[in-house]
């Protein structure tokens, strides 16, 4: 009967909403602006509108919809269905989103944080299909992770588990304070902005460096982005290649520790960094075995995520599978 | 009917075997030497003998015994019931211990590594009684951990999960190579021998230090043990106090990361270090909140293990509960 799930990916700037059938086919999607700057009431109305709109556009009968899955930036409580106060959603404070949507649409509703949802989608429809114990990593402006155990997202006591991006690998690292306040988190050391920060530091020490990244950034280190670094690396720029090599090495060392602790069946790498493909995967894989006590670390597959652009919608829907 | 479990703790020097009833009462125990230097056959016979002996001594009828739980030093495979090749059990190589004991005693048999078993015993009968999600840590000559999820030991794909002692918190730390080959593992940085190593390094840099630890060690830094450091700290020795303070800080930083990743209900600290009590617990607890992104980190209880001397026997038995 109920063959469809609505997935709502609430982001800082846009809300991506789709109807997915249980085989993982995206039937239809709509994108609305979040308008969080206009206040919480406006952006909540945008969430409502996006669901109304997708039901109209997709022409799926309401009785065919099993439920509504929502993903949003953390911190949030997936167990109680409450969005705490994400820095990316201004004005949202302790919003009982699950309750609100359940009341409005009379459907089953579930809430999950971005990284957990994306990991679950990969486990159901993507690169980790068929695996039960999955460690999912998304490397973009931050580093998010999902710990999937026995095919379910592991939430821990307070629904806050899975913040592997804030595991420190350099506890006394000077100048390596993470956005979270901790020192030496892998997010600080290997996310996009963290990687660019270290590159700029290197450039300042060696201003004669003839990297093409600086040209792309119109000569201003403040303009450098990870996309530029990737582009320059593909063109053979040495500083860019060295930077990605080191980013891969750090991720590999950290993943070696994660394998020691969690012994997953597979590691999936998603987020912006996954578009670097083999350029970074090679160094990640190289660094893992010498940095894990697990004798099977070398055999643990490390693969790129499969779900790209619409991973948020798939992620949101996956929590209802 | 079957009210009793036999727990066999196979160690490098001795085999401790006991009969435990399901309420957690140790009815009787025997200790035999492992004799692993005399070869695998001899030490396996010692395991058999210890079980025969405990059945005779305890006068429990065979029909009252639910099964035999065994714990041994890793690496081992708890799923397949095979002891791989523990450095502490010479001559043991790919021993199918579960199969051998099952054949000999016609009972249910289960195998678990030391740290996992001890953690499970704490969860059933000790400091973590009543909790489902437990992170257990034993700090002695090494650092072992157990990840308990939904009341069960989490084993991962290959039965190798839970090696949290080999999570690095200092990936490029010079002179901080761990026994496992990785750099900056918390085991290298905060185990007994690791802590003593750093203390000796400090002493060599500052030979005028008037620490009482050196007197206890007859003036030879090579004789220093963690027990001496603890004793000196209790007497107010500054170097000893500073050393334990730093050990606690490192453990707390690492546990902050573990909470970010696993959001456990409780953290239990066992092993030799737990005898330091508040002396170390204070600094562990202090370091956790600023080093975790989990907003509940401060509220996560960090408690000392309850099962002391016989934790190995309880641990071995607990895997059959």
């Amino acid at each position: 009967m109920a063959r469809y799930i609505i997935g709502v990916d609430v982001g800082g700037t846009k809300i991506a909403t789709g109807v997915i059938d249980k085989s993982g086919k995206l039937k239809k999607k709509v994108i609305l602006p979040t308008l969080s700057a206009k206040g919480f009431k406006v952006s909540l109305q945008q969430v409502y509108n996006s669901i109304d709109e997708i039901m109209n556009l997709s022409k799926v009968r309401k009785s065919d919809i099993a439920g509504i899955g929502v993903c949003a930036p953390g911190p949030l409580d997936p167990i109680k269905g409450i969005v705490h106060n994400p820095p990316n959603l201004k004005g949202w404070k302790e919003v009982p989103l699950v309750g609100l949507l359940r009341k409005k649409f009379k459907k089953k509703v579930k809430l999950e944080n971005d990284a957990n949802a994306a990991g679950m989608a990969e486990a159901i429809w993507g690169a980790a299909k068929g695996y039960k114990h999955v460690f999912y990593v998304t490397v973009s402006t931050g580093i998010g992770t999902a710990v999937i155990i026995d095919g379910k997202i592991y939430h821990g006591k307070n629904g806050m588990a899975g913040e592997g991006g804030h595991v420190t690998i350099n506890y006394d690292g000077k100048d390596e304070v993470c956005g979270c306040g901790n020192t030496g988190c892998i997010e600080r050391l290997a996310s996009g902005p963290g990687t660019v920060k270290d590159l700029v530091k290197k450039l300042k020490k060696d201003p004669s460096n003839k990297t093409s990244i600086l040209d792309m950034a119109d000569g201003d280190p403040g303009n450098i982005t990870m996309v530029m670094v990737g582009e320059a690396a593909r063109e053979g720029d040495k500083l860019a290649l060295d930077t990605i090599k080191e980013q891969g090495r750090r991720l590999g060392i950290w993943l070696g520790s994660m394998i020691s602790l969690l012994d997953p069946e597979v590691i999936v790498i998603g987020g912006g960094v996954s578009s670097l493909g083999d350029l970074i995967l090679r160094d990640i894989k190289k660094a893992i075995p010498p940095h894990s006590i697990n004798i099977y670390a070398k055999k643990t597959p490390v693969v790129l995520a499969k779900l790209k652009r619409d991973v948020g919608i798939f992620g949101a829907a996956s929590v209802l599978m």
Side-chain angles (χ1 to χ4, degrees), chain A:
Chain A
M1 267 281 269
R3 293 181 298 137
Y4 296 102
I5 303 166
I6 292 179
V8 187
D9 173 19
V10 181
T13 56
K14 61 184 177 59
I15 300 164
T17 305
V19 169
I20 287 175
D21 72 18
K22 290 188 175 176
S23 72
K25 222 181 122 234
L26 179 61
K27 193 175 158 69
K28 198 89 194 170
K29 70 169 171 178
V30 294
I31 311 275
L32 290 187
T34 312
L35 304 179
S36 69
K38 295 198 175 173
F40 160 66
K41 278 191 180 168
V42 175
S43 52
L44 179 67
Q45 189 58 51
Q46 289 294 86
V47 174
Y48 292 163
N49 292 349
S50 75
I51 296 169
D52 283 332
E53 199 161 314
I54 199 72
M55 289 206 284
N56 290 335
L57 277 175
S58 68
K59 289 173 185 138
V60 168
R61 276 181 307 180
K62 207 171 168 183
S63 59
D64 276 346
I65 292 169
I68 301 167
V70 187
C71 72
L76 55 75
D77 187 331
I79 300 160
K80 293 187 186 147
I82 292 168
V83 178
H84 290 312
N85 54 346
N88 289 339
L89 289 174
K90 271 179 195 145
W92 288 53
K93 243 182 202 164
E94 305 303 319
V95 176
L97 192 59
V98 165
L100 289 168
L101 291 174
R102 203 178 274 154
K103 203 172 152 193
K104 174 125 186 115
F105 295 99
K106 320 277 185 230
K107 285 283 170 191
K108 193 174 172 186
V109 180
K110 261 194 168 179
L111 174 67
E112 193 47 81
N113 84 49
D114 294 341
N116 281 349
M120 199 60 199
E122 290 292 337
I124 295 177
W125 298 302
K129 196 173 165 175
Y131 292 102
K132 287 185 312 171
H133 304 321
V134 180
F135 191 69
Y136 171 81
V137 186
T138 170
V139 185
S140 294
T141 52
I143 292 186
T145 69
V147 176
I148 294 172
I149 290 178
D150 276 329
K152 286 178 295 187
I153 295 164
Y154 173 66
H155 282 126
K157 184 192 177 192
N158 308 290
M160 300 282 287
E163 292 288 352
H166 298 280
V167 165
T168 184
I169 64 162
N170 200 14
Y171 75 117
D172 265 344
K174 286 167 190 73
D175 308 322
E176 286 178 3
V177 175
C178 180
C180 76
N182 190 11
T183 300
C185 294
I186 187 67
E187 170 162 311
R188 165 61 192 84
L189 288 165
S191 65
T195 301
V196 168
K197 199 169 185 175
D198 289 344
L199 181 150
V200 170
K201 231 192 281 173
K202 223 169 161 184
L203 263 181
K204 278 185 183 162
K205 267 192 196 163
D206 172 24
S208 66
N209 195 309
K210 289 192 185 66
T211 175
S212 62
I213 307 172
L214 256 185
D215 302 334
M216 293 180 192
D218 294 331
D220 180 358
N223 292 336
I224 295 174
T225 65
M226 201 58 215
V227 174
M228 292 175 192
V229 178
E231 227 169 282
R234 271 185 218 97
E235 288 164 10
D237 181 84
K238 190 172 177 311
L239 180 65
L241 285 167
D242 287 352
T243 297
I244 291 171
K245 204 182 176 87
E246 175 64 8
Q247 186 185 21
R249 186 180 79 97
R250 290 173 178 181
L251 288 169
I253 290 172
W254 166 70
L255 287 172
S257 286
M258 295 301 99
I259 292 175
S260 296
L261 186 66
L262 297 173
D263 192 10
E265 289 173 295
V266 63
I267 291 173
V268 180
I269 313 276
V273 84
S274 64
S275 66
L276 292 170
D278 264 348
L279 205 58
I280 191 153
L281 210 54
R282 202 175 38 202
D283 289 298
I284 292 176
K285 284 182 177 174
K286 200 173 134 192
I288 289 175
H291 295 96
S292 185
I293 198 175
N294 191 316
I295 51 175
Y296 301 100
K298 204 177 172 170
K299 289 185 185 165
T300 306
V302 183
V303 298
L304 297 172
K306 265 197 184 165
L307 306 166
K308 307 281 177 187
R309 196 197 306 239
D310 298 314
V311 63
I313 297 174
F314 281 103
S318 72
V319 298
L320 275 167
M321 282 289 289

